[in-house]
Amino acid sequence: SKVLRWSVLALVAFTMFCGYFLTDVMSPLKPMLEKELLWDSLDYGIFTSAYGWFNVFAFMLIIGGIILDKVGIRFTGMGACLFMVVGCAIKYYAIATTFPVGSLFLGIKVQVFLAALGYAIFGVGVEIAGITVSKIIVKWFKGKELALAMGMEMATARLGTMLALAVTVPIATFFGHTDSHGVFHANIPAPILLCLILLCIGTIAFFIYTFYDKKLDVSMADENKEEEAFKMSDIWQIATNKGFWLIAIHCVLSYSAVFPFLKYATDLMVQKYNVDPNLAGTIPSLLPLGTLFLTPLFGSVYDKIGKGATLMIIGSVLLLLVHTMFALPILDIWWFATIVMIILGIAFSLVPSAMWPSVPKIVPEKQLGTAYALIFWVQNWGLMGVPLLIGWVLEAYCKG
């Protein structure tokens, strides 16, 4: 029923909301990390790039996609949730613990390494959860409101990003303390602990979903018998699909122009646009706020009129315009940054609202988990490499 499938969407979208909250919770904390924990831009770049360590080099994302197609949604989804919780717990321990000054592991500060390790484990979980939820939406909404449902799920996830950017600094400040010398110290672990609690609740939400998924499988038993099972040779069919690779390349370029930028956007607002550090996360939070409303809207348009390629091209041109405006040394004023950030929100609503629903058009449903995993794997090269590159550039060339 319509009520049931939208209720199911709410459960799995909430799980992704919790995951995306942790994904960007450290972004507004960069100035605090440098002040309180003595991190530098390269340390932060190493930490941020860790998101893709296991997904890219250990092929965990691709393995997760194959498991999804071979074993099923319930096992894969619950495993992904557990990875997210464990990764967040390690990250919280690293940030909440004081390590001896100068302690290194593999040439990296021990605290940075442990936080990065936790983030890498979390990255495996949240990415596999993402492809699992994508397959869930196709399973429940194929032939119905597919693009709208994907847009609603992405909007809910972006809400997690928005809240992470907007409330992280206030939470760290609220739970901070003043030492005996009258110096105020923010409580950086506090927002990460909130993330850990949310992820536990999100895991429970997905566990509830598994019961509905099992009932759906029972009701679709005859239909599932007719569908041929996934085979390892299907990977070759996906890899030789030209349309698939065009979407994958478009995905990595578009997402690398947005998510790594968001990691440093709060710092950019402070350094270039002279925004108060306590308010600097508010302007970048406009991007996920915009996508919250626009992604479902554009998804609904795609359901009605198609024109997916046109929507993606318009979004890509806007992305190029936005980064040109941020790069030029003009109008270093907060209101200009706000306008450009709003345009970025529009661009980043157009691209995914048409891109993700296009995949089931060119890939059979039995191969969807692996196909989404391969796209996410290519995407993770950008999400891993670009933040590290930005951190290196900032450290090497942008110090006054």
Side-chain angles (χ1 to χ4, degrees), residues 206-282:
F206 193 90
F207 180 69
I208 294 170
Y209 162 75
T210 60
F211 292 96
Y212 292 106
D213 185 80
K214 190 172 183 179
K215 287 183 178 180
L216 182 63
D217 281 349
V218 171
S219 67
M220 296 173 62
D222 292 338
E223 184 178 327
N224 291 336
K225 284 178 183 177
E226 295 176 5
E227 184 178 298
E228 190 179 348
F230 176 85
K231 303 186 297 293
M232 296 302 291
S233 59
D234 289 334
I235 300 175
W236 177 250
Q237 291 183 20
I238 298 169
T240 53
N241 186 326
K242 293 180 181 178
F244 164 81
W245 282 110
L246 288 172
I247 290 178
I249 293 169
H250 179 68
C251 175
V252 67
L253 294 175
S254 299
Y255 275 62
S256 294
V258 178
F259 285 131
F261 168 75
L262 277 182
K263 306 289 185 192
Y264 292 90
T266 301
D267 200 36
L268 176 70
M269 296 303 116
V270 175
Q271 303 296 336
K272 182 178 180 182
Y273 296 99
N274 302 309
V275 180
D276 186 325
N278 292 321
L279 301 173
T282 305

Side-chain angles (χ1 to χ4, degrees), residues 241-245 247 357-364 367-368 375:
N241 186 326
K242 293 180 181 178
F244 164 81
W245 282 110
I247 290 178
S358 297
V359 179
K361 287 189 172 184
I362 60 173
V363 176
Q367 301 173 355
L368 271 181
I375 293 174

